[in-house]
Amino acid sequence: MIRPLTVPSPAAAPRPVSPAPSRARRALRFLAMAACAPYLALKVAWIGGSHLGIPEGSPLLDHRAPMLFANALTVLMDAAVIVLVLLLTRPWGLRTPARLLVPPMWAASGLLVPIMAGFPLTQLVGALGGADSPAPSGGSAEPFLDAWVFGVVYVGFIVQGVALGSLFVLYTRDRWGHLWRGRVRDLARARRLGGRATAVTAAALALLPAALHLLWATGSATGLNTGRVEERGSDFYVLEYLNVLYLAMAVAGALILAFRWGPGLPVKVPLALAWLGSGAVGCWGGWLVFGSLMSLGDVTKQPTAVMLLTYAVHMIIGTLVAAVGVRFLKERAGSPA
């Protein structure tokens, strides 16, 4: 008697073996670590008192203690990328609990994606004749960093993002690929209403920041501080449109996962939208809140109440959409959500 072919359920999928990393993974590991070097070198130099890349008159030179703290924090953050790279490419990484890997990887994605999208686009728009940020009223713009610093740092971040993201995709395919196999039509209906309520809440909250970003992208100064209004150029407008895109990605991913919309879509599409969108919205919102505390005493650059509210809502939306993704994966794996 011939037995019918059966496909193991996601919960019954075997745990991956721990093979030695392939040549491609070793190359990506080297690339990611090498891309961290320029940023770490600059930060360590600044902590040590160097003024490399900092022009005379920069406000960075007038606030030694806050900058020491900010530089030390960002050194730790970039060093964490190296830890993540090792975790994603060493055999012991497959045995690391998900709760120790997923949150820092989500945060890294959320901070790198806006740079990976924003920097090339702003450079392209500038090359096509986009307007530079005008000097503040009353004189020339106050120097902050030499232009070459931004190029070195942001190119390094883009390479980090590409290499780290590629390694994470390969890692998740080995360890959790069975959870994002198939199409949305193949998914069972959600067993609980909590995920739907969370997705709808995130979508409703997104209306406020999306409306504000659209206003700012189309030239309105509503709710912006004086410094931001005076410095607006093509870069500003490009980044505001991208902020709307990240919100749309997060909300779309959450709603598709919660309501099983788009039956023909591969499951990995809404998961990717939710992951990248929630990270960019939530983590970048948190970074902007942190940055508002480091505005170096310039009253014109202190965020307004509207700006702070926007950043805070970003953080809430990112957290809610991430929660929808976690609930979905737990249900798909057969664990209690």
Side-chain angles (χ1 to χ4, degrees):
M1 178 177 179
I2 300 176
R3 296 182 180 179
L5 177 66
T6 58
V7 178
S9 66
R15 292 188 62 81
V17 191
S18 300
S22 65
R23 181 177 299 178
R25 296 193 198 204
R26 291 197 300 270
L28 288 168
R29 179 172 62 195
F30 172 80
L31 194 62
M33 291 183 173
C36 293
Y39 185 77
L40 289 173
L42 269 176
K43 290 291 183 173
V44 170
W46 292 344
I47 290 172
S50 172
H51 294 173
L52 178 66
I54 305 177
E56 291 297 328
S58 171
L60 297 177
L61 301 176
D62 300 328
H63 302 272
R64 177 69 176 164
M67 293 315 301
L68 272 175
F69 172 75
N71 287 330
L73 176 63
T74 49
V75 163
L76 292 176
M77 291 170 64
D78 212 40
V81 171
I82 297 176
V83 176
L84 286 172
V85 168
L86 291 173
L87 190 153
L88 295 174
T89 56
R90 301 299 300 167
W92 52 265
L94 288 170
R95 300 189 297 272
T96 302
R99 64 181 178 275
L100 298 181
L101 165 65
V102 174
M105 190 64 217
W106 177 72
S109 302
L111 293 175
L112 289 171
V113 163
I115 296 173
M116 295 171 67
F119 184 68
L121 277 177
T122 55
Q123 296 302 300
L124 176 61
V125 170
L128 294 176
D132 293 331
S133 300
S137 57
S140 59
E142 193 174 45
F144 185 72
L145 286 171
D146 290 336
W148 66 265
V149 175
F150 293 102
V152 169
V153 168
Y154 287 154
V155 169
F157 282 154
I158 291 171
V159 175
Q160 284 181 44
V162 171
L164 185 64
S166 300
L167 287 172
F168 185 63
V169 169
L170 294 172
Y171 177 97
T172 54
R173 186 190 64 184
D174 292 343
R175 185 171 179 180
W176 297 305
H178 57 285
L179 297 181
W180 39 271
R181 185 185 302 147
R183 297 187 178 273
V184 173
R185 70 165 66 93
D186 304 324
L187 301 175
R189 282 290 170 187
R191 294 175 293 182
R192 302 184 184 182
L193 297 179
R196 293 185 175 186
T198 304
V200 170
T201 301
L205 287 174
L207 294 175
L208 172 64
L212 285 169
H213 288 305
L214 276 175
L215 282 174
W216 296 337
T218 52
S220 173
T222 302
L224 292 174
N225 58 31
T226 304
R228 190 65 62 85
V229 171
E230 292 180 340
E231 295 171 357
R232 286 181 300 176
S234 58
D235 290 5
F236 172 86
Y237 299 116
V238 169
L239 296 178
E240 289 305 319
Y241 279 118
L242 285 175
N243 283 329
V244 178
L245 175 62
Y246 304 142
L247 286 165
M249 289 170 57
V251 169
L255 291 175
I256 293 171
L257 292 176
F259 290 92
R260 309 305 195 246
W261 292 345
L265 288 174
V267 173
K268 58 189 174 186
V269 170
L271 277 174
L273 288 173
W275 175 274
L276 297 174
S278 67
V281 170
C283 298
W284 199 256
W287 183 250
L288 291 175
V289 170
F290 172 75
S292 70
L293 304 176
M294 304 294 295
S295 53
L296 305 180
D298 188 343
V299 177
T300 65
K301 294 187 178 181
Q302 290 287 345
T304 63
V306 173
M307 293 169 68
L308 282 175
L309 176 62
T310 303
Y311 304 156
V313 175
H314 273 222
M315 295 169 64
I316 295 170
I317 294 168
T319 303
L320 291 176
V321 173
V324 172
V326 170
R327 176 182 289 272
F328 169 82
L329 292 173
K330 284 186 174 181
E331 287 186 349
R332 191 109 206 262
S335 302

